[in-house]
Every structure is written in C-alpha cells, then in structure tokens.
Amino acid sequence: MRREKHVFLAAIAAAALTLPALALAQYGSGYFGLSIGPSKAKHWCGSDLPSGAALAACDPRGKGWKMFAGYRINRFIGFEGSFIDFDKASLTATSGGASTTVTARATALSAAAVGIIPVGNLEVFGKVGIAKVKAQSHEASLAGTTFKLGKNDNEAHVGLGLNYRLTSEWDVRAEFERIRDSRIDFLSLGLQYRY
C-alpha cells in the first residue's frame, strides 16, 4: 500500500502541475484540495473473530484526512481522484481468560464521477465511484490462534457535499462520504483551490 500511496500522490501532484493547460479550454477547470474530519468504520466492530472469541470492546471512530484533485468538463460534470486516510480503528477480543487488542488503519484510493448543481456562490455536488480500500491489522494471537482482521478490496464509493465560493479561486468544501461494503463513513471540511 505504501508504494501505491506514493504513486497516487505523485499522480495528484502531476495533475496539479499539468491540468492548468487543460483549464484554458472554454468550459474546463481543475481543482485540488485538502479536508479533515471524523470517520467511523462501522463494519470493523462486526469483523469475523476466530472461533470461540468474543468482542469485548470496539472503537470504530477516528480523525481522517483527505487529499483530492479533479477536473470539471463543464459547470455540471467532473471527475475526481482522492486519497483518504480514515485513521485507526481498534477492537479487543477475548477467549477464555486471554484477550488481545487489534488495530488497523483504513485507507482508500478513489476515482469518481461528480455531478454539480450551481446555485450562485453555492454548489451542491454528488459523486459515485470506486475505491481501493485497505484496512488490515497486523497478525494477532488469541488463545493460541493467530489471525488478521480487515480487508483489501475494491468497493463502491459515494459522496454528497457543498462548495461555497469564497473567491474566484478558493472554496470551502463540506462533504459526507461512504465506502459502501466496509460501511466507512467520513464527514469532512476543507479548502479547495480552482485553477
């Protein structure tokens, strides 16, 4: 995942440097930004534990962040790529008198189509795409059984949000996103730069 993350970050940086030429087209424009906010990995607390183990405690909440870049074909349609770090989630499992705590950091690389409805300085947008999700713990041992929790899979990624235009280049962006099968929710607030 580390290599994939570096490749994706390099792609975002390359897009940020090369898309200004495309932005000179009559309707097109590019953008990039950062946002932060609370995340919740609901599926994590229902993960499959080894046979005979019971869930003692679970904390699916984290403080996530996101880096994104996109290109708008016109005022209503665009495409966006993002890297999202949902932070860590942890759970404690018991079996007999033994217990262990397992932690995993969830991340996603996403590509999505974006639909936009402009209303003055405000824009409502929705997006639908696919995310490569990785949320896997290190090996843990419980009552003589070694196991891992989490997943590494492609999943549906949806979002709904608002952009408020502060200047001709800067927007404030608020967004709710969900990674569908993993049931990871992310509510974020950030800044977006248009060029």
Side-chain angles (χ1 to χ4, degrees):
M1 181 62 188
R2 195 171 205 180
R3 184 174 179 273
E4 290 175 353
K5 186 189 301 185
H6 287 242
V7 169
F8 188 75
L9 294 177
I12 287 179
L17 294 173
T18 58
L19 282 178
L22 294 174
L24 296 176
Q26 186 175 0
Y27 297 111
S29 65
Y31 62 91
F32 62 89
L34 285 169
S35 55
I36 60 171
S39 64
K40 191 171 186 180
K42 297 177 182 177
H43 181 73
W44 177 249
C45 293
S47 292
D48 293 330
L49 293 170
S51 178
L55 182 65
C58 182
D59 185 4
R61 296 165 298 170
K63 294 182 176 78
W65 63 274
K66 175 174 74 166
M67 180 176 7
F68 58 91
Y71 182 74
R72 292 173 63 159
I73 297 169
N74 56 40
R75 294 179 64 204
F76 308 103
I77 300 170
F79 299 95
E80 183 174 296
S82 60
F83 169 77
I84 311 171
D85 187 329
F86 296 106
D87 204 4
K88 293 180 181 177
S90 63
L91 64 80
T92 301
T94 60
S95 179
S99 70
T100 188
T101 298
V102 183
T103 301
R105 178 177 292 277
T107 59
L109 294 174
S110 171
V114 183
I116 305 126
I117 302 172
V119 185
N121 284 342
L122 189 67
E123 292 178 334
V124 179
F125 67 89
K127 67 184 183 186
V128 177
I130 190 163
K132 174 71 172 174
V133 179
K134 184 172 183 181
Q136 197 162 45
S137 70
H138 294 294
E139 282 191 351
S141 182
L142 180 63
T145 302
T146 301
F147 65 97
K148 283 184 177 182
L149 297 177
K151 65 191 308 181
N152 187 357
D153 204 0
N154 294 319
E155 301 184 33
H157 178 203
V158 296
L160 185 63
L162 297 169
N163 286 329
Y164 181 76
R165 181 163 280 196
L166 296 173
T167 69
S168 59
E169 289 96 18
W170 291 98
D171 296 346
V172 173
R173 172 171 165 149
E175 185 175 9
F176 173 79
E177 296 171 84
R178 170 167 282 186
I179 304 291
R180 188 169 175 189
D181 294 341
S182 293
R183 296 173 60 211
I184 301 174
D185 292 341
F186 183 42
L187 181 62
S188 63
L189 183 66
L191 287 175
Q192 173 177 290
Y193 180 77
R194 300 178 190 236
Y195 55 86

